[in-house]
Amino acid sequence: MKKMELVRVKQGTASTRRFSSGNTLPLTQLPFGMASFAPQTASNRGNWFYHPDDRCLEGIRLTHQPSPWIGDYGGLLLMPQSGVPETEPARRWSGSRPEEQVLRPDYLRAGFLRSGAVFELTPVQRGAAFRVRFPEDGRRAYLSVLPVGGDFVCAWDPDRRVLRGSTSHCPPGRAEGFRMYFVLEVSGEVLPGESLSGTGGYHLALAGRELEGRLAISYISPEQAAENLRQELAGRSFDALREQAADRWEEVLSRVEVETGTQEELRTFYSCMYRLFLYPHKCYERTADGEALHFCPRDSSVRKGVRYTDNGFWDTFRTSFPLLTILAPKELPEILEGFLQDYRDGSPLPWWSSMGEAGCMPSSLIDAVIADAAVKGLLPRESLETAFQGMLYHANTAFPERRFGRNGVREYLQYGYVPCDKEPQSVNLTLDAAYGDFCIAQVAHVLGRPEEAEYRRRAGNYRLLFDPETGFMRARDTGGGFRPEFSPLRWGGEYTEGGAWQSSFFVPHDLEGLAALHGGREALLRKLRQMFDTPPVYEVGEYGTEIHEMTEMAAVDFGQCAISNQPSFHVPYLFAALGSQGETDFWVEKICRELFSSADDGFPGDEDNGSMAAWYLFSCLGLYPLCPGTPVYIKGKKLVRSARIHGVEWDPAGFDRWIPHDALPVRK
């Protein structure tokens, strides 16, 4: 069976604002593609515009949304209608049968009961080919092209049968001057359509009952959108493009061959593989001469070079990028160059990029992605020098906009920690900064730079927050005192999406040092066991209300280990790192068997751009990147019968507890 037949793109889509089973979208998209497509079932839920239980459709949405918490940009809707076409979602929505929909990485098919139309789509990097068929029922057939938000305009060219348009759809303040341009070209005869005053959309009237079309987008210009259509869609049939998309996905998914005990385990594994390769998105285009260009959100200019976006490093540095160093060694260098482009364009290195900087989550954890690539030799020296300068910049500069750099960096440099009376989330900001400084030291070592010693010293600043009386990392104020009225169950305040239990074990670069603070390895092991034994109760603390991460932790019986969120990802592997392999094996297998599946509710929390999928994949393969920025993996129990990466068989059980990166098999 082909790998793509195993993928369920709806994995994790049965989510709401208050409870996440992934917070994913069922995306039809090429790996790392610039254009993604998904059904829109209910826009009145805002960014949760798709739910698998809905029996309605408001259209097929071009989307770039990396997370409902970040939002979408550059969106539009395609919707077949008949009779009198409607514009507003409340009036145009149609019934649909979810069981009859076909949602795959390479292909989407959905039926609209109201019009009787069947809509099909297959993706290319910067657009899609589509076709729509209507029944012979005497009603006038339309294809409506509708806005998602922003200033939306379009105009029909009857001579060339092309609809040209653009939208400024983008969250406020993120990328001023942004517009997405599109070209929609149709085959066959069409009638004069209807331009929609007030919305800028268009109802394209069909002369017959079938229509084929090609859609291409650009962030640069209308002319570049037409060039993208020429490069990726012109002269190729729908079926040929679908085969091309299927072949691309099959190649990517086949980079890992596994044997498992059940078909469901295979479906879960390859659905997670699909998730890994969705993000980050390409954010550049090529001229007719092959030169790469991109829209620069800093000043709305068009500049040379590649760019990538739609990625949050606070989540993805832990698992996604370490796994891509193994499974995408050819693509990853270009992706990293795309991140460095922001710095070359005059901005700090990205933090949480979604077209422009979203500034969501704390800290500048791209440091870990760069360090991991550096120690694995995936960046040329010239690029690594640029990256190093960018790392030094945000590690020592307080930026006027809080969405850039390290929040609290001025105080961190003064005190060695971020004081709680100066910044919220001060514990996580301090721990992240100490680890980031370690990553800077790693890059300095690779480059032979004298700054290495200083940043290795700074990497030990985590010690300043440890409270030996409670055994937790606690907030200090500018006077050096711990914040009073401490409770390890209280969330928020000095902690990010957690409390003391979820935040106090993040010292991946110095586990021996953390153990020494606790009184030795055995003492730290006892603390970890207490974490899993403590009931999953919580106090809402400074959040003032329950957030979905609290609900998700409490929904399963893993104590205070909130495996539903990234800060706890490494915790089960700490047992093995401290010498208790059996406890790691027990907890990892229990988590994988009980909390992951290929179903609509197949994740225990936000999937977050491949990070949770990569955690599962690593765990199945029997290794884990405990400290990105070092070329080693910790061994776990392999949960698949056999694994072959790029055609090379290997068995983690044959290695010692720590697996050097160069001990992994050479790819053929």
Side-chain angles (χ1 to χ4, degrees):
M1 176 184 291
K2 289 189 174 183
K3 304 295 184 295
M4 201 164 56
E5 302 296 329
L6 297 163
V7 173
R8 292 194 75 256
V9 303
K10 294 198 298 178
Q11 181 191 31
T13 58
S15 301
T16 66
R17 181 181 289 272
R18 291 184 175 179
F19 194 85
S20 173
S21 298
N23 263 333
T24 61
L25 287 169
L27 298 177
T28 296
Q29 175 203 309
L30 290 186
F32 309 125
M34 193 165 115
S36 308
F37 298 87
Q40 177 172 301
T41 60
S43 56
N44 59 6
R45 285 196 295 264
N47 294 339
W48 286 261
F49 57 80
Y50 172 83
H51 197 283
D53 293 341
D54 288 345
R55 303 190 67 84
C56 54
L57 279 177
E58 296 176 356
I60 304 302
R61 180 161 170 166
L62 165 65
T63 175
H64 303 95
Q65 180 168 289
S67 161
W69 307 109
I70 299 297
D72 205 353
Y73 66 91
L76 60 78
L77 283 157
L78 302 175
M79 183 168 186
Q81 300 191 70
S82 60
V84 178
E86 299 284 356
T87 302
E88 294 301 318
R91 293 184 61 83
R92 76 169 187 266
W93 70 272
S94 168
S96 185
R97 298 187 180 100
E99 66 275 11
E100 294 180 359
Q101 295 173 4
V102 179
L103 302 176
R104 295 164 43 112
D106 66 315
Y107 175 71
L108 179 156
R109 186 178 73 213
F112 292 78
L113 298 178
R114 182 172 173 177
S115 64
V118 175
F119 184 95
E120 299 174 274
L121 178 145
T122 192
V124 295
Q125 288 289 354
R126 297 169 184 87
F130 63 89
R131 58 192 180 193
V132 58
R133 297 188 305 277
F134 290 84
E136 294 285 352
D137 59 7
R139 293 181 292 172
R140 174 65 56 81
Y142 295 88
L143 177 68
S144 299
V145 182
L146 301 166
V148 168
D151 173 43
F152 189 94
V153 296
C154 61
W156 173 248
D157 182 342
D159 296 330
R160 293 180 172 82
R161 297 194 300 276
V162 169
L163 186 71
R164 297 183 178 90
S166 68
T167 178
S168 65
H169 174 224
C170 194
R174 195 167 295 174
E176 299 299 336
F178 167 79
R179 290 198 79 86
M180 185 195 76
Y181 303 90
F182 67 89
V183 174
L184 190 152
E185 178 185 84
V186 299
S187 301
E189 186 180 355
V190 294
L191 302 172
E194 179 184 345
S195 183
L196 308 178
S197 61
T199 70
Y202 197 86
H203 295 315
L204 182 64
L206 279 63
R209 311 311 292 172
E210 297 186 10
L211 182 73
E212 288 205 13
R214 292 158 291 282
L215 171 69
I217 66 171
S218 170
Y219 302 144
I220 293 173
S221 68
E223 295 77 17
Q224 185 63 47
E227 176 61 25
N228 293 342
L229 189 147
R230 186 193 68 79
Q231 291 180 23
E232 300 187 26
L233 290 152
R236 278 162 273 189
S237 69
F238 181 95
D239 292 331
L241 290 167
R242 181 183 175 186
E243 183 178 1
Q244 173 182 291
D247 289 346
R248 174 61 176 149
W249 270 112
E250 193 65 25
E251 185 276 321
V252 165
L253 295 169
S254 297
R255 294 180 187 184
V256 182
E257 303 274 353
V258 296
E259 292 184 8
T260 62
T262 68
Q263 194 76 356
E264 169 57 19
E265 290 171 345
L266 277 176
R267 284 194 293 267
T268 304
F269 189 92
Y270 286 104
S271 297
C272 286
M273 279 279 287
Y274 151 80
R275 288 278 158 205
L276 174 68
F277 281 92
L278 289 174
Y279 300 98
H281 285 153
K282 289 181 178 177
C283 194
Y284 72 92
E285 301 156 60
R286 293 197 180 275
T287 66
D289 296 330
E291 184 176 43
L293 298 176
H294 66 276
F295 170 82
C296 172
R298 186 180 72 84
D299 58 8
S300 303
S301 62
V302 174
R303 303 194 179 202
K304 295 181 180 180
V306 301
R307 185 171 185 261
Y308 279 76
T309 189
D310 298 333
N311 173 80
F313 293 102
W314 191 80
D315 304 308
T316 55
F317 88 87
R318 306 168 198 266
T319 54
S320 303
F321 284 103
L323 189 52
L324 289 174
T325 66
I326 301 173
L327 300 185
K330 293 181 179 179
E331 293 95 335
L332 189 57
E334 181 184 273
I335 291 172
L336 297 175
E337 292 288 350
F339 296 147
L340 296 183
Q341 192 65 54
D342 280 13
Y343 181 67
R344 293 190 178 105
D345 287 348
S347 295
L349 288 168
W351 182 4
W352 217 125
S353 180
S354 179
M355 178 44 68
E357 180 58 60
C360 182
M361 310 310 298
S363 308
S364 55
L365 287 162
I366 191 174
D367 294 339
V369 177
I370 294 169
D372 207 45
V375 299
K376 295 171 182 175
L378 292 175
L379 271 177
R381 186 177 181 90
E382 180 181 357
S383 298
L384 195 56
E385 290 278 7
T386 299
F388 185 65
Q389 293 305 315
M391 296 166 83
L392 293 179
Y393 185 41
H394 65 223
N396 297 284
T397 305
F399 297 99
E401 288 188 78
R402 292 182 59 83
R403 63 189 179 126
F404 292 112
R406 296 181 180 180
N407 289 166
V409 65
R410 183 184 294 109
E411 291 77 14
Y412 177 77
L413 295 175
Q414 179 180 353
Y415 298 98
Y417 60 90
V418 179
C420 60
D421 51 341
K422 293 291 185 179
E423 288 283 345
Q425 306 180 79
S426 60
V427 169
N428 288 83
L429 287 172
T430 300
L431 298 179
D432 291 347
Y435 172 56
D437 288 341
F438 166 80
C439 293
I440 293 174
Q442 291 292 88
V443 176
H445 179 77
V446 172
L447 293 173
R449 297 290 297 259
E451 293 93 339
E452 178 182 355
E454 168 64 13
Y455 284 89
R456 292 213 184 278
R457 182 194 65 77
R458 284 171 52 163
N461 284 342
Y462 70 89
R463 299 183 183 95
L464 299 175
L465 296 190
F466 185 75
D467 175 17
E469 185 175 333
T470 63
F472 291 104
M473 297 291 179
R474 292 184 56 188
R476 288 186 185 273
D477 59 26
T478 49
F482 285 121
R483 178 184 173 181
E485 301 177 359
F486 171 73
S487 168
L489 303 178
R490 187 187 66 232
W491 282 44
E494 61 266 39
Y495 302 106
T496 304
E497 292 185 357
W501 274 117
Q502 294 74 39
S503 305
S504 294
F505 303 102
F506 183 68
V507 189
H509 58 290
D510 189 13
L511 192 56
E512 292 298 332
L514 179 64
L517 292 176
H518 282 268
R521 286 189 170 207
E522 285 302 318
L524 182 51
L525 281 169
R526 287 194 297 272
K527 192 72 172 182
L528 290 170
R529 291 168 190 143
Q530 184 185 358
M531 181 182 191
F532 280 86
D533 290 340
T534 301
V537 295
Y538 49 86
E539 300 165 9
V540 298
E542 274 81 354
Y543 282 111
T545 187
E546 184 158 336
I547 62 173
H548 73 97
E549 289 88 355
M550 300 172 188
T551 318
E552 291 145 16
M553 181 188 74
V556 296
D557 189 18
F558 290 90
Q560 290 291 322
C561 180
I563 202 66
S564 53
N565 205 19
Q566 283 73 17
S568 291
F569 274 9
H570 71 298
V571 169
Y573 286 95
L574 292 176
F575 290 105
L578 294 167
S580 184
Q581 184 72 52
E583 288 181 277
T584 285
D585 295 345
F586 171 81
W587 287 115
V588 170
E589 182 170 16
K590 182 177 174 65
I591 290 166
C592 288
R593 302 295 188 212
E594 295 182 9
L595 302 185
F596 287 81
S597 75
S598 69
D600 298 350
D601 61 352
F603 291 109
D606 282 358
E607 199 282 319
D608 285 323
N609 307 126
S611 62
M612 190 170 282
W615 187 93
Y616 178 83
L617 294 169
F618 267 128
S619 297
C620 286
L621 295 172
L623 72 164
Y624 189 79
L626 189 65
C627 182
T630 59
V632 294
Y633 301 90
I634 194 168
K635 185 174 77 69
K637 178 183 178 181
K638 186 174 61 175
L639 301 181
V640 294
R641 290 178 178 175
S642 65
R644 178 188 288 266
I645 297 178
H646 279 215
V648 178
E649 290 184 351
W650 64 288
D651 182 1
F655 292 101
D656 292 332
R657 179 165 53 84
W658 292 98
I659 306 171
H661 180 264
D662 57 11
L664 293 175
V666 177
R667 303 174 189 86
K668 292 183 179 178

